[in-house]
Amino acid sequence: MRTLYIIGTGGFAKEVAQLAHEINLAFAHWDALAYLSETPAEVGKPMPFGSVVGTDDILKDLSTPADVAVGIGSPRLRAKLGSSLMPLPSLRFPNLIHPANPINADHVLLGVGNIVTRGAVFTCDIKVGDLNVFNLNSTVGHDTTIGSFNVINPGTNVSGGVSIGDRCLFGTGSQVLEGISIANGSTIGAGAVVVKDVDRENLTLVGIPAKPLNAT
Ligand SMILES: CC(C)(COP(=O)(O)OP(=O)(O)OC[C@H]1O[C@@H](n2cnc3c(N)ncnc32)[C@H](O)[C@@H]1OP(=O)(O)O)[C@@H](O)C(=O)NCCC(=O)NCCS
């Protein structure tokens, strides 16, 4: 019995289950999709394509290897879960890639646990770390390097030669121009266009051109 455990029970977790279901339709990969909640009261609750089977804690006590996907859309929480769960030897973090947009492994180097939903496109010579989200119709251009635990929301366009750190959030429809560097923990507002390097960590930028929130 091969189960994919999905951490989370919110909207993004349901979308991850839908992605896994669509992967299953193409490749029959998992026998069951099982959600994990942080709330014991949710155990047993039916969810799309599966149900809540336990709390996150069960992952620490599994006796057999298990596949895990992080169904949480917060970069900070993805990083927290990644650092506590990725060292556990029984857990595997497969890349979940929508079958309609396969990734050419000769040109795109992916770590583990990345979620790549329908319509997300990568071109060539791209390096990506672990546990990132590339949501619907986002694009990543040539020679770009992306760290870990980033969440790239729908319709975001990352141009060529960009460098992105860890734990960044890209709001829906945001744009990053070519050659830009973006520091760890940046939040780019929905619809923003990043035209200059973001050197300071943990800033929120909005607008066109994107500027720090308290400076607009
Ligand atoms: C940028 C963002 C993170 C700021 O969130 P926040 O810190 O809670 O900020 P607030 O909503 O309190 O807004 C603060 C100010 O910024 C403005 N603002 C917020 N988001 C903005 C955006 N994307 N572009 C331009 N201005 C924005 C607000 O109008 C407000 O202005 P005011 O002070 O003059 O009224 C958030 O608005 C955003 O864009 N998140 C992305 C969400 C997303 O992509 N969701 C898709 C999920 S699939």
Side-chain angles (χ1 to χ4, degrees):
M1 178 84 174
R2 189 165 179 170
T3 299
L4 175 68
Y5 290 97
I6 298 169
I7 301 178
T9 57
F12 184 58
K14 294 193 282 187
E15 291 180 348
V16 170
Q18 181 178 14
L19 170 62
H21 173 73
E22 289 175 7
I23 293 171
N24 258 351
L25 292 178
F27 304 116
H29 210 65
W30 296 285
D31 302 299
L33 304 179
Y35 294 78
L36 299 176
S37 173
E38 55 178 4
T39 312
E42 278 198 312
V43 176
K45 180 180 168 187
M47 299 288 291
F49 313 106
S51 63
V52 183
V53 300
T55 59
D56 304 354
D57 294 340
I58 70 168
L59 292 176
K60 294 182 176 139
D61 301 319
L62 291 176
S63 52
T64 52
D67 287 352
V68 178
V70 179
I72 290 175
S74 148
R76 193 178 50 80
L77 290 178
R78 294 184 74 79
K80 192 173 167 204
L81 285 162
S83 54
S84 68
L85 297 178
M86 288 173 79
L88 298 179
S90 60
L91 303 185
R92 297 175 300 218
F93 294 83
N95 289 312
L96 268 54
I97 300 170
H98 195 280
N101 36 275
I103 289 179
N104 185 333
D106 291 338
H107 300 292
V108 181
L109 193 61
L110 281 184
V112 297
N114 293 291
I115 309 280
V116 181
T117 71
R118 183 184 281 275
V121 174
F122 295 75
T123 63
C124 50
D125 291 336
I126 294 167
K127 283 189 197 142
V128 174
D130 303 325
L131 263 64
N132 297 287
V133 175
F134 298 90
N135 217 327
L136 305 166
N137 296 330
S138 55
T139 63
V140 180
H142 63 89
D143 300 293
T144 283
T145 302
I146 296 179
S148 297
F149 318 119
N150 298 290
V151 174
I152 297 188
N153 275 328
T156 293
N157 300 123
V158 176
S159 304
V162 167
S163 175
I164 294 173
D166 299 329
R167 291 176 280 98
C168 297
L169 177 82
F170 293 80
T172 188
S174 59
Q175 315 281 313
V176 183
L177 298 196
E178 64 275 13
I180 297 286
S181 292
I182 298 188
N184 295 333
S186 299
T187 298
I188 309 300
V193 179
V194 185
V195 303
K196 284 187 190 161
D197 288 353
V198 179
D199 296 324
R200 264 182 57 205
E201 297 193 356
N202 304 315
L203 281 185
T204 296
L205 297 99
V206 298
I208 305 174
K211 293 191 177 150
L213 190 53
N214 56 11
T216 56

